[in-house]
Amino acid sequence: MECPNCRTAVLVNDQFCEECGTSLTAVGCEKCGAQPEAIDNEGFCSVCGFRKEVLERLEITIDSRLAGVSDRGLRHHRNEDYLALQTVNNNTHILIVCDGVSSSSNPHIAAQTATESASTALIAAIKQKENPESAIKSAVAAALSSLCNIPCTKSINDEPPSTTIVAAVVQQNTATIGWLGDSRAYWISDNNSRQLTKDDSWLSEVVAAGEMTQVQAKQSPQANAITRWLGADAIDDAIPSIINFTIPSSGYLLLCSDGLWNYAPQPQQLANLIQQTSHTNAITICRSLIEFARHSGGHDNITVALLSL
Ligand SMILES: [Zn+2]
Ligand SMILES: [Zn+2]
């Protein structure tokens, strides 16, 4: 056997060419590991249905009240965020945002896989009348087990495919939100906006423990490091934090990745941005929040999901 790139002799089981570093394995399905022959002409895996694609932007509109956008931003070469939205039984709304951990292997597949399996599991649980809190917990468990089935295509030393997740179930006047990592949920309304999730991040933990002020902690290079996530290396700590929020008035439930909130962390800043759009259509508001993050620098992938209530 030889390396397809530099023609150096390699062993059958080698993952990489020792001479030039070319991967010798990543040609079949990245998700289920099927052989290259399993990939059809349109790029779909005939075994598991996965299609590798470099997504610039994903837009989902359920109706005028529920929509979301995920955008690559300006600095990253691919989008490692993903989202899913659904309305079940006409009265229950589901929103999920995942942000692949960029230091892990295949973060873009991690985010998409976790989002899709969490969404499928959540919809099934809601249809079976499971309560929202336990539905979110089972959805996160389902997402974790499908993450554990993604083969690592880099090297054995890489962190396994990992992602943050924030998932919301809205029924009547209650929003139940579960999360791991630093993707956030906010309640946005005229005079009562607030952040609903607490980041699982180094910064948030040292500030909460009173070890440092917000300003001091922000100086640290590890300020934004997340302390909890969904991945095969964090199985023992994969139970999401959950809050039940009673919706107090009309307003918006906003889920987003750090690609948005880094530029507008305060609830009131996000409220002002939404107010400035002077639109009430969910997809229009999402697009304008994405534009705001891109104009602010677009350093990261940006994902926004919005439910108008
Ligand atoms: Zn080579
Ligand atoms: Zn496959």
Side-chain angles (χ1 to χ4, degrees):
M1 242 188 108
E2 61 181 27
C3 167
N5 180 46
C6 72
R7 308 255 166 244
T8 300
V10 292
L11 299 174
V12 181
N13 292 327
D14 282 356
Q15 303 255 317
F16 286 91
C17 169
E18 298 223 318
E19 191 63 34
C20 74
T22 297
S23 167
L24 302 171
T25 51
V27 265
C29 176
E30 285 183 20
K31 185 172 173 187
C32 75
Q35 294 298 305
E37 304 83 76
I39 310 299
D40 71 16
N41 290 337
E42 289 175 345
F44 287 97
C45 170
S46 58
V47 177
C48 73
F50 182 74
R51 184 192 204 182
K52 180 181 177 177
E53 49 193 333
V54 179
L55 277 175
E56 290 282 307
R57 178 177 279 214
L58 171 65
E59 292 202 351
I60 303 175
T61 304
I62 302 297
D63 54 34
S64 63
R65 293 171 54 211
L66 178 59
V69 180
S70 182
D71 187 273
R72 183 175 60 91
L74 301 175
R75 300 297 181 87
H76 284 270
H77 68 287
R78 67 182 174 200
N79 191 354
E80 298 173 353
D81 287 2
Y82 214 77
L83 84 157
L85 304 170
Q86 198 57 258
T87 298
V88 184
N89 302 338
N90 284 321
N91 62 9
T92 304
H93 307 289
I94 289 171
L95 302 86
I96 302 173
V97 168
C98 285
D99 176 355
V101 177
S102 53
S103 59
S104 76
S105 154
N106 285 330
H108 57 307
I109 299 176
Q112 182 176 351
T113 302
T115 304
E116 287 173 347
S117 40
S119 163
T120 306
L122 202 43
I123 291 166
I126 295 299
K127 285 185 174 163
Q128 285 166 17
K129 311 231 181 299
E130 222 178 291
N131 77 62
E133 180 163 341
S134 87
I136 288 175
K137 286 180 177 162
S138 15
V140 169
L144 177 61
S145 80
S146 51
L147 280 186
C148 292
N149 290 327
I150 303 172
C152 289
T153 50
K154 284 200 207 153
S155 89
I156 211 114
N157 298 322
D158 278 327
E159 294 162 37
S162 305
T163 182
T164 71
I165 187 166
V166 57
V169 173
V170 182
Q171 256 173 359
Q172 289 150 353
N173 66 339
T174 303
T176 304
I177 296 149
W179 74 95
L180 284 162
D182 66 355
S183 296
R184 291 183 176 177
Y186 289 89
W187 172 250
I188 304 293
S189 69
D190 283 344
N191 44 27
N192 205 4
S193 300
R194 64 187 90 168
Q195 183 182 331
L196 300 174
T197 52
K198 286 195 197 87
D199 299 342
D200 294 313
S201 71
W202 182 87
L203 181 145
S204 158
E205 290 186 0
V206 294
V207 172
E211 292 163 19
M212 287 189 193
T213 66
Q214 182 94 3
V215 175
Q216 288 169 328
K218 270 196 176 149
Q219 313 288 328
S220 166
Q222 57 185 332
N224 291 322
I226 58 172
T227 50
R228 302 183 75 209
W229 59 89
L230 201 57
D233 54 348
I235 287 180
D236 295 338
D237 193 23
I239 308 294
S241 306
I242 304 261
I243 64 152
N244 286 294
F245 173 65
T246 303
I247 296 159
S249 59
S250 65
Y252 300 96
L253 178 68
L254 170 70
L255 270 57
C256 62
S257 63
D258 59 346
L260 175 68
W261 68 249
N262 266 321
Y263 296 116
Q266 299 306 325
Q268 194 53 48
Q269 293 174 292
L270 292 164
N272 294 343
L273 287 167
I274 290 177
Q275 207 167 33
Q276 281 160 23
T277 66
S278 63
H279 283 275
T280 52
N281 199 320
I283 189 69
T284 315
I285 295 172
C286 290
R287 287 182 189 138
S288 70
L289 291 172
I290 297 274
E291 279 323 296
F292 157 77
R294 288 171 62 95
H295 279 120
S296 308
H299 278 267
D300 202 347
N301 307 139
I302 311 143
T303 302
V304 179
L306 189 86
L307 174 64
S308 167
L309 287 155

